Amino acid sequence: MNAAGPPICRLAMDDNIYFLRDIATQGYRSLFDCPYLAMLRAIHREHGLKCVLNIFYQTPKADFLLAVVS
């Protein structure tokens, strides 16, 4: 517990790429229309969770590359 305030939690998640492909292909009006980011946002709002999302440059089968997204 943080002596200066409420508990603090930080979560680092590796190997993220599929939610970026989802955002690129679905044409969401907001990033938080993506279910993955909406879930993380809800957890943040309810519990104060801070997330670090480490991403891959491409999907394992190379069917989606960040460099190709416009």
Side-chain angles (χ1 to χ4, degrees):
M1 182 159 191
N2 180 4
I8 296 173
C9 180
R10 177 183 175 269
L11 174 66
M13 298 175 10
D14 288 334
D15 307 341
N16 287 273
I17 188 67
Y18 294 106
F19 83 94
L20 294 171
R21 180 179 65 184
D22 185 39
I23 290 168
T25 59
Q26 297 301 317
Y28 296 128
R29 292 180 57 104
S30 166
L31 291 176
F32 298 108
D33 288 341
C34 171
Y36 187 70
L37 293 181
M39 172 197 64
L40 293 175
R41 183 185 204 189
I43 295 169
H44 167 72
R45 287 181 168 175
E46 185 172 342
H47 302 287
L49 177 69
K50 306 288 185 187
C51 293
V52 174
L53 301 178
N54 299 310
I55 60 173
F56 276 156
Y57 175 73
Q58 66 185 30
T59 55
K61 293 183 180 180
D63 59 344
F64 176 76
L65 287 82
L66 287 178
V68 178
V69 178
S70 56

